[in-house]
Amino acid sequence: MQTRIEAPAPEPLSLGQTAVALQGAGRSFRSKRRSVTALESVDLCVREREVVAVVGPSGCGKSTLLELAAGLQEPDAGTVEAEGARDPRGRLAACAYMPQRDLLLPWRDALSNAALALECQGVGRREARRRAAPLFKRFGLAEFEASSPAELSGGMRQRVAFLRTLLAGRPVLLLDEPFAALDSITRASMQEWLAETLASEPRTVVLVTHDVEEALFLADRVAVMSPRPGRVVAELGVPFPRPRPRRETVTDPAFARLKERALEVLEG
């Protein structure tokens, strides 16, 4: 049974406030040798400009959920919508997807990697670079525009990858464990940076992570998934306004209680 803990309780949704919606969504993968059900009867609704984090054990279908929302896969059961579109092309047009790896092209400098999102939309290379350049200072990347990916730190590479995702200009951002490969110190810094960036550049965000603390720090709401076949078994509302000061937030007793509750559900 799905548990919902929301503090404070959100306002009732109208259809116009819904950016991403999965209703009874299921996805299975079949081969000659076996069939694997990744997702089963998933219900999840994300409001416009809401940040929702999805946590769950490995193999529970979190990345598959993002790919369904992005139009990269189709559900075997139920429905998936993004910005009102149910067809794959419409969902893809509404969503910018950032995979776990930064996937920066080694033969392009940082500015050209970020500008690639605009080039894919038909913008000329010179114009794309011109549009992307002013954002490098805001993203803490000033003076690294001409650097190759090999010359950037892990955190800087992720900033370039996120900037590329943002420049796609889509209203929905789908982030698949964007900081998983970073060390704990860099990861904490990047979490604060992302929180501040989303405050200045509001988007609807669905964030997948294995880190419960990261999920609670960044999100307005956390959806907890069961082991495979993945289902949303609990939703935890986060009662702190965004952006949040990290040290004060993660040491707050209310935050600790939410974290304990999430871990209880995960350990089921």
Side-chain angles (χ1 to χ4, degrees):
M1 180 178 179
Q2 184 166 323
T3 303
R4 298 181 186 272
I5 302 175
E6 299 182 349
E11 297 179 1
L13 294 180
S14 68
L15 186 60
Q17 292 175 289
T18 303
V20 177
L22 293 88
Q23 296 183 320
R27 184 72 173 106
S28 297
F29 300 92
R30 298 175 180 84
S31 67
K32 293 181 179 179
R33 303 180 65 178
R34 64 172 181 165
S35 175
V36 175
T37 300
L39 298 172
E40 184 177 72
S41 300
V42 173
D43 294 314
L44 182 65
C45 183
V46 183
R47 296 186 294 274
E48 291 179 357
R49 297 197 172 186
E50 183 182 27
V51 178
V52 171
V54 179
V55 298
S58 295
C60 72
K62 300 185 298 296
S63 295
T64 300
L65 186 154
L66 290 188
E67 291 179 5
L68 287 174
L72 300 176
Q73 294 191 38
E74 279 293 270
D76 301 311
T79 61
V80 181
E81 294 186 18
E83 292 292 320
R86 290 192 179 186
D87 62 294
R89 181 173 294 182
R91 301 202 307 274
L92 186 60
C95 299
Y97 177 60
M98 181 175 170
Q100 294 179 24
R101 297 176 59 191
D102 58 66
L103 299 180
L104 300 183
L105 302 178
W107 59 87
R108 282 182 170 239
D109 61 25
L111 182 57
S112 292
N113 266 289
L116 184 60
L118 295 171
E119 292 181 50
C120 290
Q121 298 175 23
V123 178
R125 184 169 184 175
R126 180 176 295 181
E127 174 63 14
R129 287 172 61 91
R130 186 192 68 78
R131 293 189 199 178
L135 296 174
F136 266 62
K137 183 176 181 179
R138 287 178 52 192
F139 276 51
L141 294 165
E143 301 182 4
F144 289 93
E145 292 88 345
S147 299
S148 70
E151 297 172 315
L152 302 176
S153 68
M156 293 172 74
R157 290 174 65 104
Q158 290 303 103
R159 292 186 191 202
V160 174
F162 184 77
L163 176 53
R164 179 184 59 198
T165 305
L166 205 62
L167 282 169
R170 311 289 170 78
V172 179
L173 302 181
L174 306 174
L175 310 180
D176 193 352
E177 297 195 67
F179 309 137
L182 303 180
D183 63 84
S184 59
I185 295 175
T186 305
R187 185 179 184 124
S189 174
M190 288 298 296
Q191 289 167 2
E192 288 190 289
W193 172 83
L194 178 59
E196 292 169 1
T197 300
L198 291 176
S200 62
E201 293 279 350
R203 297 288 194 282
T204 302
V205 179
V206 184
L207 165 73
V208 159
T209 178
H210 280 94
D211 188 331
V212 171
E213 184 173 289
E214 177 175 89
L216 291 169
F217 175 68
L218 289 171
D220 300 304
R221 186 158 45 97
V222 177
V224 184
M225 295 188 68
S226 68
R228 189 175 66 239
R231 301 180 309 280
V232 177
V233 293
E235 293 186 13
L236 310 179
V238 183
F240 306 102
R242 293 189 291 111
R244 303 157 185 155
R246 181 177 176 81
R247 181 176 296 179
E248 292 86 341
T249 300
V250 300
T251 56
D252 190 292
F255 187 92
R257 288 192 295 272
L258 278 174
K259 184 176 178 180
E260 182 178 3
R261 173 58 181 149
L263 292 172
E264 286 176 356
V265 175
L266 284 169
E267 293 168 1

